[in-house]
Amino acid sequence: MAGISYAFYMLEAKDLAKHYGKIIALESLSFQLQKGEVLGLLGPNGAGKSTAMRMICGTLSATSGEVFFMGEKRSASSLDQAKSAIGYLPENAPLYMDMDVESYLCFCAEIKGKQDIKKLVSIALQKCGLEEVRRKNIQLLSKGYKQRVGIAQAIVHNPKIIVLDEPTIGLDPKQVSEIRQLIRNLASEATIIISSHILTEMQMLCDRVIVLNKGKVLANKSMQELNQMMQEKYRYEITLKHPVKEQDLPQLKNLDILGNKILFDLKEEEELNATLKYLIDANQIVVSAKKQDFDLEDAYLSILGEQ
């Protein structure tokens, strides 16, 4: 195809931004994804995750920036073609409750311009574990099965890129586990973007994570880089004989005090001795000091704190 490089990314975004007047919904989002990679957009509500997904899918125009599919820049003339390469599940799945599962998926395949509809629907039903409920009205399904139907409509046209906005929100633990396994299976055939504010979900599913907050990109790291970041941080728990308050220890910064326990991060393990000396000089009786694991939540909070 003309204009496509022989070495290209499946999906690439360059400096995507969305402004509403003076309000910045998203600023300067860039990434590159190969086939089979899973990218996680992580951040609190209002961070800009859904805005980013809608711009990538072409359902929201960007104020500035560019999107490339398989090396080719998406333009107004190629928008329909780009959309056909994407399967999109918004946060609230677009389900027609009075239709049965199979009829709904046939409808979705038809409006996406596909010909071999029965075959495509059969594959989507099988991939999403919906074969036993294919004749049931969607309104009669559990929330977990409704979410499966939502994912099925996103993949029924066999897209190369799948975008899932909060795919496990509101599900019980069993349903969450099932949807995560489904996403892992889909990643063997397509490039996937998921958004979430659930840290463990990112850790379990993603190859790369972009942390967003208030429309700004705070971090764009591979999971390997995040794991390395966690290994380089030190968190300690020191237990004192008597409860203390933060004002009792003015020289210790970025600490959490829970009664007689102090939790804090150190950049270097050697700093512990200096901290213990400070506590002793402040007439505090140290009962114990132990190192804690620095997990993904700690890394996430550290990234947010750096803003």
Side-chain angles (χ1 to χ4, degrees):
M1 186 181 295
I4 296 184
S5 168
Y6 286 104
F8 56 80
Y9 293 105
M10 201 66 163
L11 176 64
E12 183 175 9
K14 291 185 177 181
D15 296 320
L16 277 183
K18 183 63 179 179
H19 299 173
Y20 296 96
K22 294 182 179 180
I23 299 173
I24 299 175
L26 187 69
E27 189 65 49
S28 193
L29 173 65
S30 298
F31 62 83
Q32 302 87 28
L33 291 175
Q34 301 280 11
K35 181 179 179 181
E37 284 191 293
V38 180
L39 170 68
L41 300 181
L42 175 63
N45 292 333
K49 304 187 299 294
S50 295
T51 298
M53 290 184 148
R54 291 173 62 198
M55 287 194 292
I56 291 165
C57 293
T59 62
L60 179 68
S61 61
T63 302
S64 60
E66 300 172 326
V67 177
F68 295 81
F69 294 103
M70 295 174 286
E72 185 173 287
K73 181 179 176 181
R74 185 181 69 195
S75 62
S77 60
S78 65
L79 184 57
D80 288 341
Q81 182 181 357
K83 285 181 178 179
S84 70
I86 293 181
Y88 178 39
L89 173 69
E91 186 174 343
N92 298 309
L95 305 179
Y96 292 156
M97 296 297 178
D98 58 342
M99 297 180 74
D100 65 67
V101 173
E102 187 170 20
S103 297
Y104 170 70
L105 294 179
C106 286
F107 168 71
C108 291
E110 184 178 354
I111 63 174
K112 290 173 181 177
K114 294 300 178 180
Q115 301 298 321
D116 199 356
I117 290 176
K118 287 187 177 181
K119 180 180 178 180
L120 290 172
V121 169
S122 178
I123 292 172
L125 288 168
Q126 187 273 325
K127 285 183 177 179
C128 295
L130 292 167
E131 291 171 303
E132 65 181 32
V133 297
R134 64 194 303 161
R135 303 294 186 189
K136 280 192 175 183
N137 271 25
I138 295 173
Q139 64 184 346
L140 300 178
L141 300 178
S142 68
K143 190 162 187 176
Y145 269 107
K146 287 176 182 174
Q147 195 72 337
R148 286 173 180 268
V149 176
I151 294 174
Q153 67 79 28
I155 69 168
V156 70
H157 57 303
N158 195 28
K160 295 179 175 64
I161 299 161
I162 302 171
V163 180
L164 306 173
D165 195 352
E166 301 278 4
T168 62
I169 191 169
L171 303 182
D172 65 39
K174 182 176 182 296
Q175 293 167 339
V176 167
S177 177
E178 291 171 348
I179 295 298
R180 286 175 181 167
Q181 184 57 55
L182 172 56
I183 293 171
R184 289 190 199 98
N185 294 340
L186 293 173
S188 65
E189 302 175 2
T191 300
I192 297 180
I193 301 176
I194 65 171
S195 74
S196 181
H197 55 268
I198 303 172
L199 300 171
T200 53
E201 194 153 84
M202 297 286 103
Q203 199 163 25
M204 294 172 67
L205 295 175
C206 299
D207 302 298
R208 173 168 290 276
V209 173
I210 294 177
V211 180
L212 297 169
N213 192 32
K214 298 179 181 177
K216 295 182 178 180
V217 177
L218 303 189
N220 183 346
K221 297 179 180 292
S222 68
M223 193 54 66
Q224 183 178 0
E225 289 171 329
L226 279 176
N227 289 333
Q228 182 66 29
M229 177 182 175
M230 288 182 263
Q231 292 172 10
E232 292 173 351
K233 293 269 189 173
Y234 299 94
R235 164 156 287 200
Y236 281 91
E237 177 186 300
I238 294 178
T239 302
L240 304 176
K241 185 173 182 179
H242 304 292
V244 292
K245 295 181 180 179
E246 190 169 344
Q247 54 264 34
D248 298 330
L249 307 169
Q251 291 186 28
L252 294 185
K253 306 299 182 183
N254 300 320
L255 51 77
D256 294 320
I257 296 178
L258 304 171
N260 66 329
K261 293 185 184 296
I262 301 173
L263 302 175
F264 60 101
D265 300 335
L266 298 177
K267 292 184 179 178
E268 300 292 340
E269 198 165 7
E270 289 76 12
E271 293 179 21
L272 177 62
N273 291 334
T275 302
L276 291 171
K277 184 178 184 303
Y278 169 75
L279 290 170
I280 293 170
D281 291 344
N283 298 317
Q284 300 295 331
I285 300 174
V286 177
V287 176
S288 66
K290 61 181 180 180
K291 184 179 176 182
Q292 293 186 327
D293 291 332
F294 195 85
D295 59 18
L296 184 60
E297 182 174 0
D298 296 316
Y300 173 62
L301 293 174
S302 177
I303 291 168
L304 289 181
E306 288 172 4
Q307 186 184 24

